[in-house]
Amino acid sequence: MIDDRELRSIAMAQLLGSAETSGEINALRRVGLRAGFLWRCPSCHTEHYPNRETCCGKPRTDGI
């Protein structure tokens, strides 16, 4: 069974994959971060899909 994080990752990947302009990509990234469909590492500021559990050797801390 697919969990909620996996579903959010799939949805975000499909949306970003169908974006045609940099404006669309940037808008989707902003919305994805605010809605919890993406998360940003507090150390290196890299954006990740919700099914990614760690970055910079540390676990995700934002609770999504």
Side-chain angles (χ1 to χ4, degrees), residues 2-17 32 35-39 47-53 60 64:
I2 297 176
D3 66 6
D4 189 46
R5 285 184 180 169
E6 189 66 26
L7 288 174
R8 289 186 285 173
S9 295
I10 292 168
M12 202 65 220
Q14 289 176 343
L15 288 169
L16 287 169
F37 281 52
L38 296 170
W39 65 278
E47 295 168 359
H48 299 287
Y49 292 109
N51 61 352
R52 174 89 183 255
E53 296 293 329
R60 180 179 56 230
I64 65 166

Side-chain angles (χ1 to χ4, degrees), residues 19-57:
E20 296 182 4
T21 66
S22 60
E24 289 176 347
I25 293 169
N26 288 334
L28 286 168
R29 287 175 52 231
R30 284 192 308 270
V31 169
L33 286 165
R34 288 185 182 176
F37 281 52
L38 296 170
W39 65 278
R40 183 176 288 141
C41 174
S43 298
C44 69
H45 305 287
T46 301
E47 295 168 359
H48 299 287
Y49 292 109
N51 61 352
R52 174 89 183 255
E53 296 293 329
T54 62
C55 187
C56 297

